PDB file of all heavy atoms in Angstrom:
ATOM      1  N   ARG A 189      29.579  19.735 -12.925  1.00 91.00           N
ATOM      2  CA  ARG A 189      29.167  20.300 -14.205  1.00 91.00           C
ATOM      3  C   ARG A 189      28.643  19.223 -15.158  1.00 91.00           C
ATOM      4  O   ARG A 189      27.772  19.463 -15.979  1.00 91.00           O
ATOM      5  CB  ARG A 189      30.406  20.955 -14.814  1.00 91.00           C
ATOM      6  CG  ARG A 189      30.143  22.133 -15.688  1.00 91.00           C
ATOM      7  CD  ARG A 189      31.470  22.649 -16.196  1.00 91.00           C
ATOM      8  NE  ARG A 189      31.577  22.304 -17.608  1.00 91.00           N
ATOM      9  CZ  ARG A 189      32.274  23.020 -18.465  1.00 91.00           C
ATOM     10  NH1 ARG A 189      32.938  24.059 -18.083  1.00 91.00           N
ATOM     11  NH2 ARG A 189      32.313  22.659 -19.741  1.00 91.00           N
ATOM     12  N   GLN A 191      26.724  16.809 -14.655  1.00 96.00           N
ATOM     13  CA  GLN A 191      25.302  16.495 -14.497  1.00 96.00           C
ATOM     14  C   GLN A 191      24.456  17.396 -15.401  1.00 96.00           C
ATOM     15  O   GLN A 191      23.531  16.936 -16.068  1.00 96.00           O
ATOM     16  CB  GLN A 191      24.888  16.682 -13.037  1.00 96.00           C
ATOM     17  CG  GLN A 191      25.486  15.639 -12.124  1.00 96.00           C
ATOM     18  CD  GLN A 191      24.887  14.266 -12.352  1.00 96.00           C
ATOM     19  OE1 GLN A 191      23.682  14.102 -12.345  1.00 96.00           O
ATOM     20  NE2 GLN A 191      25.733  13.282 -12.589  1.00 96.00           N
ATOM     21  N   GLU A 193      25.551  18.950 -18.032  1.00 95.00           N
ATOM     22  CA  GLU A 193      25.879  18.634 -19.426  1.00 95.00           C
ATOM     23  C   GLU A 193      25.139  17.390 -19.890  1.00 95.00           C
ATOM     24  O   GLU A 193      24.614  17.348 -21.003  1.00 95.00           O
ATOM     25  CB  GLU A 193      27.389  18.433 -19.587  1.00 95.00           C
ATOM     26  CG  GLU A 193      28.162  19.737 -19.500  1.00 95.00           C
ATOM     27  CD  GLU A 193      29.636  19.569 -19.811  1.00 95.00           C
ATOM     28  OE1 GLU A 193      30.104  18.413 -19.857  1.00 95.00           O
ATOM     29  OE2 GLU A 193      30.309  20.595 -20.008  1.00 95.00           O
ATOM     30  N   ARG A 196      21.473  18.304 -20.378  1.00 93.00           N
ATOM     31  CA  ARG A 196      21.273  19.135 -21.564  1.00 93.00           C
ATOM     32  C   ARG A 196      21.507  18.324 -22.832  1.00 93.00           C
ATOM     33  O   ARG A 196      20.817  18.504 -23.827  1.00 93.00           O
ATOM     34  CB  ARG A 196      22.214  20.348 -21.551  1.00 93.00           C
ATOM     35  CG  ARG A 196      22.015  21.309 -20.397  1.00 93.00           C
ATOM     36  CD  ARG A 196      20.612  21.846 -20.287  1.00 93.00           C
ATOM     37  NE  ARG A 196      20.167  22.579 -21.466  1.00 93.00           N
ATOM     38  CZ  ARG A 196      20.347  23.878 -21.656  1.00 93.00           C
ATOM     39  NH1 ARG A 196      20.976  24.592 -20.779  1.00 93.00           N
ATOM     40  NH2 ARG A 196      19.869  24.453 -22.740  1.00 93.00           N
ATOM     41  N   SER A 197      22.496  17.410 -22.800  1.00 94.00           N
ATOM     42  CA  SER A 197      22.790  16.642 -24.013  1.00 94.00           C
ATOM     43  C   SER A 197      21.657  15.670 -24.328  1.00 94.00           C
ATOM     44  O   SER A 197      21.562  15.181 -25.445  1.00 94.00           O
ATOM     45  CB  SER A 197      24.119  15.890 -23.875  1.00 94.00           C
ATOM     46  OG  SER A 197      23.957  14.762 -23.046  1.00 94.00           O
ATOM     47  N   TYR A 208      14.778  18.353 -12.625  1.00 96.00           N
ATOM     48  CA  TYR A 208      14.818  16.892 -12.503  1.00 96.00           C
ATOM     49  C   TYR A 208      16.183  16.333 -12.137  1.00 96.00           C
ATOM     50  O   TYR A 208      16.279  15.219 -11.645  1.00 96.00           O
ATOM     51  CB  TYR A 208      14.358  16.236 -13.818  1.00 96.00           C
ATOM     52  CG  TYR A 208      12.919  16.523 -14.147  1.00 96.00           C
ATOM     53  CD1 TYR A 208      12.586  17.411 -15.171  1.00 96.00           C
ATOM     54  CD2 TYR A 208      11.895  15.926 -13.430  1.00 96.00           C
ATOM     55  CE1 TYR A 208      11.256  17.692 -15.468  1.00 96.00           C
ATOM     56  CE2 TYR A 208      10.576  16.193 -13.717  1.00 96.00           C
ATOM     57  CZ  TYR A 208      10.255  17.076 -14.730  1.00 96.00           C
ATOM     58  OH  TYR A 208       8.953  17.350 -15.004  1.00 96.00           O
ATOM     59  N   GLN A 213      19.375  16.610  -6.310  1.00 94.00           N
ATOM     60  CA  GLN A 213      20.647  16.278  -5.668  1.00 94.00           C
ATOM     61  C   GLN A 213      21.089  17.386  -4.731  1.00 94.00           C
ATOM     62  O   GLN A 213      21.571  17.140  -3.626  1.00 94.00           O
ATOM     63  CB  GLN A 213      21.731  16.062  -6.727  1.00 94.00           C
ATOM     64  CG  GLN A 213      21.435  14.914  -7.664  1.00 94.00           C
ATOM     65  CD  GLN A 213      22.542  14.755  -8.692  1.00 94.00           C
ATOM     66  OE1 GLN A 213      23.701  14.557  -8.345  1.00 94.00           O
ATOM     67  NE2 GLN A 213      22.196  14.857  -9.961  1.00 94.00           N
TER      68      GLN A 213
ATOM     69  N   ARG B  53      32.269  18.279 -28.695  1.00 92.00           N
ATOM     70  CA  ARG B  53      31.311  18.981 -27.834  1.00 92.00           C
ATOM     71  C   ARG B  53      30.652  20.162 -28.547  1.00 92.00           C
ATOM     72  O   ARG B  53      29.573  20.591 -28.147  1.00 92.00           O
ATOM     73  CB  ARG B  53      32.012  19.450 -26.554  1.00 92.00           C
ATOM     74  CG  ARG B  53      32.356  18.288 -25.617  1.00 92.00           C
ATOM     75  CD  ARG B  53      33.432  18.679 -24.610  1.00 92.00           C
ATOM     76  NE  ARG B  53      33.012  19.802 -23.787  1.00 92.00           N
ATOM     77  CZ  ARG B  53      32.269  19.689 -22.685  1.00 92.00           C
ATOM     78  NH1 ARG B  53      31.892  18.491 -22.278  1.00 92.00           N
ATOM     79  NH2 ARG B  53      31.923  20.737 -21.996  1.00 92.00           N
ATOM     80  N   ARG B  84      19.931  18.523 -29.874  1.00 89.00           N
ATOM     81  CA  ARG B  84      20.419  17.684 -28.776  1.00 89.00           C
ATOM     82  C   ARG B  84      19.562  16.440 -28.602  1.00 89.00           C
ATOM     83  O   ARG B  84      20.039  15.383 -28.201  1.00 89.00           O
ATOM     84  CB  ARG B  84      20.431  18.486 -27.479  1.00 89.00           C
ATOM     85  CG  ARG B  84      21.630  19.390 -27.394  1.00 89.00           C
ATOM     86  CD  ARG B  84      21.595  20.166 -26.125  1.00 89.00           C
ATOM     87  NE  ARG B  84      22.802  20.980 -25.982  1.00 89.00           N
ATOM     88  CZ  ARG B  84      22.842  22.099 -25.285  1.00 89.00           C
ATOM     89  NH1 ARG B  84      21.746  22.526 -24.671  1.00 89.00           N
ATOM     90  NH2 ARG B  84      23.958  22.780 -25.186  1.00 89.00           N
ATOM     91  N   LEU B  96      26.086   9.660 -15.012  1.00 95.00           N
ATOM     92  CA  LEU B  96      24.744   9.154 -14.691  1.00 95.00           C
ATOM     93  C   LEU B  96      24.171  10.020 -13.569  1.00 95.00           C
ATOM     94  O   LEU B  96      24.910  10.686 -12.858  1.00 95.00           O
ATOM     95  CB  LEU B  96      24.820   7.696 -14.247  1.00 95.00           C
ATOM     96  CG  LEU B  96      25.202   6.708 -15.338  1.00 95.00           C
ATOM     97  CD1 LEU B  96      25.235   5.294 -14.768  1.00 95.00           C
ATOM     98  CD2 LEU B  96      24.241   6.768 -16.513  1.00 95.00           C
ATOM     99  N   PHE B  97      22.839  10.003 -13.441  1.00 95.00           N
ATOM    100  CA  PHE B  97      22.208  10.790 -12.391  1.00 95.00           C
ATOM    101  C   PHE B  97      22.176   9.949 -11.113  1.00 95.00           C
ATOM    102  O   PHE B  97      21.426   8.974 -11.028  1.00 95.00           O
ATOM    103  CB  PHE B  97      20.787  11.184 -12.801  1.00 95.00           C
ATOM    104  CG  PHE B  97      20.737  11.892 -14.136  1.00 95.00           C
ATOM    105  CD1 PHE B  97      19.764  11.583 -15.073  1.00 95.00           C
ATOM    106  CD2 PHE B  97      21.674  12.871 -14.452  1.00 95.00           C
ATOM    107  CE1 PHE B  97      19.726  12.231 -16.299  1.00 95.00           C
ATOM    108  CE2 PHE B  97      21.645  13.525 -15.674  1.00 95.00           C
ATOM    109  CZ  PHE B  97      20.671  13.207 -16.600  1.00 95.00           C
ATOM    110  N   PRO B  98      22.997  10.287 -10.108  1.00 94.00           N
ATOM    111  CA  PRO B  98      23.170   9.393  -8.964  1.00 94.00           C
ATOM    112  C   PRO B  98      21.935   9.254  -8.069  1.00 94.00           C
ATOM    113  O   PRO B  98      21.835   8.298  -7.318  1.00 94.00           O
ATOM    114  CB  PRO B  98      24.317  10.050  -8.181  1.00 94.00           C
ATOM    115  CG  PRO B  98      24.316  11.472  -8.605  1.00 94.00           C
ATOM    116  CD  PRO B  98      23.823  11.498 -10.014  1.00 94.00           C
ATOM    117  N   HIS B  99      21.007  10.210  -8.173  1.00 93.00           N
ATOM    118  CA  HIS B  99      19.830  10.150  -7.306  1.00 93.00           C
ATOM    119  C   HIS B  99      18.726   9.291  -7.910  1.00 93.00           C
ATOM    120  O   HIS B  99      17.681   9.120  -7.290  1.00 93.00           O
ATOM    121  CB  HIS B  99      19.310  11.556  -7.026  1.00 93.00           C
ATOM    122  CG  HIS B  99      18.867  12.300  -8.260  1.00 93.00           C
ATOM    123  ND1 HIS B  99      19.709  12.559  -9.314  1.00 93.00           N
ATOM    124  CD2 HIS B  99      17.673  12.806  -8.603  1.00 93.00           C
ATOM    125  CE1 HIS B  99      19.046  13.218 -10.252  1.00 93.00           C
ATOM    126  NE2 HIS B  99      17.805  13.371  -9.846  1.00 93.00           N
TER     127      HIS B  99
END
Side-chain angles (χ1 to χ4, degrees):
Chain A
R189 210 180 108 151
Q191 290 290 308
E193 287 186 347
R196 298 304 300 271
S197 76
Y208 295 107
Q213 298 180 58
Chain B
R53 289 161 59 84
R84 281 179 176 153
L96 291 180
F97 306 137
H99 62 301

